[in-house]
Amino acid sequence: GQQLNQSPQSMFIQEGEDVSMNCTSSSIFNTWLWYKQDPGEGPVLLIALYKAGELTSNGRLTAQFGITRKDSFLNISASIPSDVGIYFCAGPLRSSGDKLTFGTGTRLAVRP
Amino acid sequence: GAGVSQSPSNKVTEKGKDVELRCDPISGHTALYWYRQSLGQGLEFLIYFQGNSAPDKSGLPSDRFSAERTGGSVSTLTIQRTQQEDSAVYLCASSLVSGALSGANVLTFGAGSRLTVL
């Protein structure tokens, strides 16, 4: 079954607003990855987190590896239209032989 | 090539026909994944190859689905006797290593093969 739950499932925001989304699991992860999928494309890696408590930024994106190692957060500041897409969290699930497991996704739409 | 290449990009087939989808991973990448994505949905894990280890087939939805990886490089996903519910985008991804190590699991995805079963 699904091991990673993302919220919100979808969101509409006004251009220029900040966005927050999160990913939670009942299992501990040693790595958290955040991907973005544009329409008609495969997901692309945005940020990788490897240490509990780590806070990493990539331009307008900031992600944090939760201290409990069971959650992660992604923030987008000053959203723009090209931020539209589906955001996935992912991590290697030890109980599944460390293969990468993806979250349910957060669909972001921006009102221009 | 520089990225993960998938072919065909689009495939329309009739119910009951067999289809083959191909994935060319990044040269040297030892881990290769196949995922399925139905319209507007998340990524459903299908199968995972890691080096010379036996593949993890735990995500294959039925015995109509199979995959192989020849020479540790190119992979083919085969769907026999296709059904309408098989319609989806099939995504392939590869990574240099896989596991819980720092730097691992950075998957590079192909653009996907969109399958439509009529």
Side-chain angles (χ1 to χ4, degrees):
Chain A
Q2 185 57 254
Q3 301 285 343
L4 294 176
N5 298 306
Q6 289 187 242
S7 65
Q9 287 186 324
S10 62
M11 57 194 314
F12 287 92
I13 62 169
Q14 191 73 33
E15 183 176 354
E17 287 183 346
D18 296 343
V19 174
S20 291
M21 61 188 78
N22 68 74
C23 183
T24 60
S25 175
S26 57
S27 301
I28 288 175
F29 284 79
N30 293 317
T31 299
W32 284 98
L33 306 173
W34 284 93
Y35 283 81
K36 183 198 176 193
Q37 185 178 28
D38 289 327
E41 302 289 332
V44 174
L45 182 70
L46 298 175
I47 289 180
L49 302 160
Y50 299 108
K51 185 178 178 181
E54 180 181 358
L55 186 70
T56 297
S57 294
N58 178 7
R60 294 180 296 105
L61 307 177
T62 302
Q64 183 162 25
F65 192 140
I67 197 69
T68 66
R69 295 196 286 160
K70 293 183 178 182
D71 56 13
S72 180
F73 304 87
L74 177 69
N75 296 314
I76 305 172
S77 63
S79 59
I80 59 178
S82 62
D83 290 334
V84 164
I86 306 176
Y87 292 79
F88 292 103
C89 63
L93 190 61
R94 181 59 60 91
S95 63
S96 297
D98 286 327
K99 70 174 180 283
L100 205 60
T101 298
F102 280 80
T104 49
T106 292
R107 184 180 297 274
L108 182 64
V110 178
R111 294 193 185 96
Chain B
V4 177
S5 178
Q6 292 189 245
S7 62
S9 55
N10 280 285
K11 176 72 175 179
V12 179
T13 191
E14 293 179 346
K15 178 181 174 181
K17 300 285 189 181
D18 298 350
V19 297
E20 285 190 352
L21 307 177
R22 176 188 169 102
C23 174
D24 277 284
I26 292 174
S27 179
H29 278 194
T30 59
L32 186 148
Y33 293 76
W34 282 97
Y35 292 90
R36 179 169 70 175
Q37 187 175 32
S38 300
L39 185 63
Q41 300 301 309
L43 301 175
E44 176 188 3
F45 166 76
L46 296 178
I47 188 169
Y48 161 51
F49 297 89
Q50 169 56 15
N52 296 320
S53 302
D56 179 345
K57 304 179 182 180
S58 60
L60 295 178
S62 77
D63 58 8
R64 296 186 295 104
F65 288 73
S66 63
E68 62 178 19
R69 189 178 185 191
T70 54
S73 181
V74 172
S75 178
T76 302
L77 177 68
T78 301
I79 309 172
Q80 296 178 309
R81 305 180 302 282
T82 52
Q83 303 294 312
Q84 288 183 332
E85 61 262 29
D86 298 336
S87 297
V89 175
Y90 290 81
L91 290 162
C92 175
S94 70
S95 71
L96 187 59
V97 295
S98 186
L101 300 175
S102 176
N105 298 300
V106 177
L107 295 187
T108 300
F109 281 84
S113 292
R114 180 177 297 278
L115 174 65
T116 302
V117 182
L118 302 177

